Amino acid sequence: EMQAMQFRRTFASVRAANLFLSQGDHRAAGELFDLIRPFDPARVAARELSANIRFGDADAAARMLEERKDAAGDDFDCWSLVVAARRKLAIDSARFAEECSDSFESPSHYALAGDLDGAYREMDAMLPELAGLADLPILFGSDMVAVRADPRFFPLARKMGLVDYWRETDQWPDFCFEPSPGFDCKERAASAPAAAP
């Protein structure tokens, strides 16, 4: 029970740290990672590195990745490619697909590499496990801005049950109220095709 409580605390704190980092608040993210580090140092080190690769400064993330190769573990090759893409360096798309597909973070990896087709392909593959979940932080970070702006986002959100929730409760996600999302969320939601029964 104690291990389960620590895992829940660690998981929730990592998600909160990711949110802070995605909004540019490195101090608050660092404080959260430091708070939970004693519970599971190896896991927290890997999650902190992943968060910085996705949301931190790309050059700083590249340095961090080199300094903490041990924390990256099996993800090192993928994360190296993500950092290279974020730094606008040329990457091998076949190698990227081989190293960065089939994980919960793979839609983010593809989005950060500028491959929206790949991001949507990965999310479609994950749809059975994502459908019906109202709490999907992977969709709403700063790494997924281009994904949310894409016309495919609202049909996907409809398949997940999110559009019905937003329309029924009139509780819309924060990105709908940003200064210039470039579209009207309610209009896109209304025109998104109904989910298949």
Side-chain angles (χ1 to χ4, degrees), residues 50-123:
S50 171
N52 276 281
I53 286 164
R54 291 169 58 207
F55 305 118
D57 174 77
D59 293 331
R63 288 191 298 274
M64 182 182 283
L65 183 59
E66 283 302 314
E67 292 166 3
R68 302 185 189 179
K69 283 184 182 179
D70 57 326
D74 293 341
D75 293 316
F76 179 80
D77 290 335
C78 172
W79 290 350
S80 295
L81 292 165
V82 172
V83 168
R86 289 195 60 214
R87 296 173 81 194
K88 309 296 187 212
L89 303 174
I91 58 171
D92 181 314
S93 58
R95 184 164 172 249
F96 190 92
E98 181 181 333
E99 299 291 345
C100 294
S101 296
D102 302 322
S103 79
F104 191 70
E105 292 178 349
S106 58
S108 170
H109 296 155
Y110 277 92
L112 290 168
D115 183 353
L116 296 185
D117 291 338
Y120 274 96
R121 187 174 56 251
E122 293 294 307
M123 286 188 289

Side-chain angles (χ1 to χ4, degrees), residues 5-189:
M5 287 175 60
Q6 288 176 359
F7 178 77
R8 285 196 298 272
R9 179 177 181 179
T10 300
F11 183 71
S13 297
V14 164
R15 287 176 50 180
N18 282 346
L19 178 62
F20 279 125
L21 205 51
S22 79
Q23 300 304 308
D25 192 338
H26 295 263
R27 183 195 54 77
E31 287 175 0
L32 271 174
F33 282 124
D34 289 342
L35 180 68
I36 59 175
R37 199 177 313 281
F39 293 114
D40 192 342
R43 184 189 309 243
V44 171
R47 299 327 310 157
E48 182 178 29
L49 181 55
S50 171
N52 276 281
I53 286 164
R54 291 169 58 207
F55 305 118
D57 174 77
D59 293 331
R63 288 191 298 274
M64 182 182 283
L65 183 59
E66 283 302 314
E67 292 166 3
R68 302 185 189 179
K69 283 184 182 179
D70 57 326
D74 293 341
D75 293 316
F76 179 80
D77 290 335
C78 172
W79 290 350
S80 295
L81 292 165
V82 172
V83 168
R86 289 195 60 214
R87 296 173 81 194
K88 309 296 187 212
L89 303 174
I91 58 171
D92 181 314
S93 58
R95 184 164 172 249
F96 190 92
E98 181 181 333
E99 299 291 345
C100 294
S101 296
D102 302 322
S103 79
F104 191 70
E105 292 178 349
S106 58
S108 170
H109 296 155
Y110 277 92
L112 290 168
D115 183 353
L116 296 185
D117 291 338
Y120 274 96
R121 187 174 56 251
E122 293 294 307
M123 286 188 289
D124 284 340
M126 294 166 58
L127 196 54
E129 48 192 295
L130 297 181
L133 297 178
D135 184 18
L136 295 167
I138 190 170
L139 296 177
F140 302 108
S142 58
D143 52 335
M144 299 293 271
V145 169
V147 169
R148 292 192 300 271
D150 190 279
R152 293 172 283 186
F153 179 76
F154 275 87
L156 177 72
R158 183 107 191 227
K159 289 178 191 173
M160 293 178 174
L162 295 173
V163 167
D164 291 339
Y165 170 78
W166 296 332
R167 293 179 77 190
E168 289 168 12
T169 63
D170 201 31
Q171 299 294 311
W172 296 86
D174 291 346
F175 74 86
C176 293
F177 303 101
E178 290 170 357
S180 57
F183 54 86
D184 183 287
C185 285
K186 292 182 180 182
E187 287 177 9
R188 285 209 175 170

